[in-house]
Every structure is written in structure tokens, then in C-alpha cells.
């Protein structure tokens, strides 16, 4: 769907037991990514905004101090980098991401 709609190229990356993560690219730039919802997640499928965090662990801890709930502790996404998923005080979800270089 998104390839046809936006002209993105799709590249699948294995992410361990979670299956695969599909990166969408325009030229050599990653612009979006999708994956199936893990079976233990009890939310409707949704877009998850990733915010870049150079010091991911510190930012996750800061967010928690400010009232966010950490839903997925800082973890490695093989072949992509480190990430964490949080719920901010009003209930919106977001993720922190540190790209593996």
C-alpha cells in the first residue's frame, strides 16, 4: 500500500523473535518503518512516532521522571539500533530511537 501510494522502496530487516521490520526509503533515506504488532500488545494497530535520542537511556529515565510510563524498556532492535516505547502522561504513545551506526 505505502509503496504504491508514496513510491517508497521497502527493505525488510529481521528483528529477532519479533519477525521482521520493514524500512521504507526514498533514494537512500529511511522515511518510515512498519512491523506487525506483537501478539501480547493489546492495542489497536497504530502509527508510532519515533523521536531520535542520542542518550536513549537518559531520555527514557527523564521521561519517566516527568510522568511517562515506559512500556518497552530500552532494548536492541537487531540491525536497526536501540529503542524504547513510552506512554506520555495524556496517553499518547511514542518511541525513542538511537540508530545503530
Amino acid at each position: 500500500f505505502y509503496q504504491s501510494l508514496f513510491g517508497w522502496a521497502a527493505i525488510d530487516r529481521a528483528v529477532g523473535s519479533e519477525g521482521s521490520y520493514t524500512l521504507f526509503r526514498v533514494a537512500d533515506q529511511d522515511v518510515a518503518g512498519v512491523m506487525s504488532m506483537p501478539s501480547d500488545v493489546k492495542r489497536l494497530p497504530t502509527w508510532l512516532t519515533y523521536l531520535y535520542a542520542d542518550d536513549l537511556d537518559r531520555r527514557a529515565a527523564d521521561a519517566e521522571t516527568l510522568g511517562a510510563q515506559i512500556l518497552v524498556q530500552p532494548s536492541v532492535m537487531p540491525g536497526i539500533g536501540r529503542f524504547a516505547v513510552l506512554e506520555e502522561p495524556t496517553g499518547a504513545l511514542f518511541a525513542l530511537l538511537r540508530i545503530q551506526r
Side-chain angles (χ1 to χ4, degrees):
F1 175 82
Y2 295 103
Q3 288 171 281
S4 297
L5 184 63
F6 296 112
W8 294 342
I11 299 164
D12 289 326
R13 297 263 176 97
V15 290
S17 64
E18 296 300 324
S20 67
Y21 187 86
T22 301
L23 288 168
F24 291 113
R25 289 188 172 171
V26 172
D28 291 333
Q29 175 100 18
D30 294 332
V31 296
V34 296
M35 68 181 289
S36 297
M37 295 285 284
S39 60
D40 61 337
V41 173
K42 303 301 180 213
R43 293 183 181 261
L44 293 174
T46 185
W47 283 102
L48 180 63
T49 301
Y50 282 80
L51 304 170
Y52 178 78
D54 193 41
D55 188 342
L56 190 138
D57 294 281
R58 189 181 102 232
R59 292 291 181 201
D62 289 348
E64 190 172 38
T65 297
L66 294 168
Q69 178 182 359
I70 299 175
L71 303 177
V72 176
Q73 291 293 325
S75 308
V76 173
M77 187 184 312
I80 305 292
R82 287 178 48 75
F83 79 107
V85 179
L86 298 94
E87 182 175 357
E88 52 102 296
T90 67
L93 299 183
F94 69 99
L96 299 173
L97 178 66
R98 170 92 166 94
I99 303 277
Q100 176 181 312
R101 303 264 180 220

